[in-house]
Amino acid sequence: MALNALCALCGLIIAVVTSFHAVGAQKSLCGNSEFWNSDLDVCVPCASCKKYPKTPSCNTCKSVEDTPDVWKLAAITSFSVLAVVLVGAALIIVVMVHRHKLHKRPLREPIEETAGPLYQA
């Protein structure tokens, strides 16, 4: 009787080890962006976790976030630099116009000529 129990236990252990090995081998067939779905017995892309987040084994996927949008960063940076350049140019133009008007103001008192052809000493 003990021999039969021992054989049954050994058979159970072999069956469990074999099933774990088979599942591990199947999981290793999946790529980096996939996970093994034991219900379907296929590798499922991690992108499906976005649509079906409660799928079992989705937690084994690495972060499924989108790649950062580099073009958005470049656009924001470009528009910021453009805005700074335009504001700077506007300030320079305002200062130049102000100086030009300041120098063109008419004199309030007439200038006395003290030398020249009209001077009679």
Side-chain angles (χ1 to χ4, degrees):
M1 187 75 176
L3 187 61
N4 286 342
L6 185 61
C7 284
L9 184 63
C10 286
L12 184 64
I13 291 173
I14 290 172
V16 169
V17 167
T18 305
S19 71
F20 280 139
H21 179 66
V23 170
Q26 292 168 340
K27 285 182 181 178
S28 66
L29 295 175
C30 298
N32 288 340
S33 62
E34 297 177 325
F35 66 92
W36 180 255
N37 188 324
S38 57
D39 295 335
L40 301 173
D41 287 335
V42 293
C43 292
V44 178
C46 288
S48 67
C49 292
K50 280 184 174 181
K51 191 172 183 180
Y52 307 105
K54 294 185 179 181
T55 304
S57 302
C58 267
N59 58 350
T60 60
C61 285
K62 293 178 182 168
S63 178
V64 189
E65 297 174 9
D66 290 333
T67 56
D69 294 326
V70 176
W71 68 271
K72 287 182 182 177
L73 179 64
I76 291 170
T77 304
S78 299
F79 285 125
S80 299
V81 169
L82 179 64
V84 167
V85 167
L86 290 176
V87 168
L91 286 174
I92 290 173
I93 290 171
V94 166
V95 167
M96 290 175 65
V97 168
H98 181 69
R99 280 188 171 179
H100 183 70
K101 285 185 177 182
L102 192 65
H103 288 298
K104 279 188 116 181
R105 284 191 180 165
L107 297 174
R108 302 209 184 259
E109 298 176 13
I111 300 175
E112 284 186 36
E113 292 198 24
T114 54
L118 300 175
Y119 179 71
Q120 297 173 5

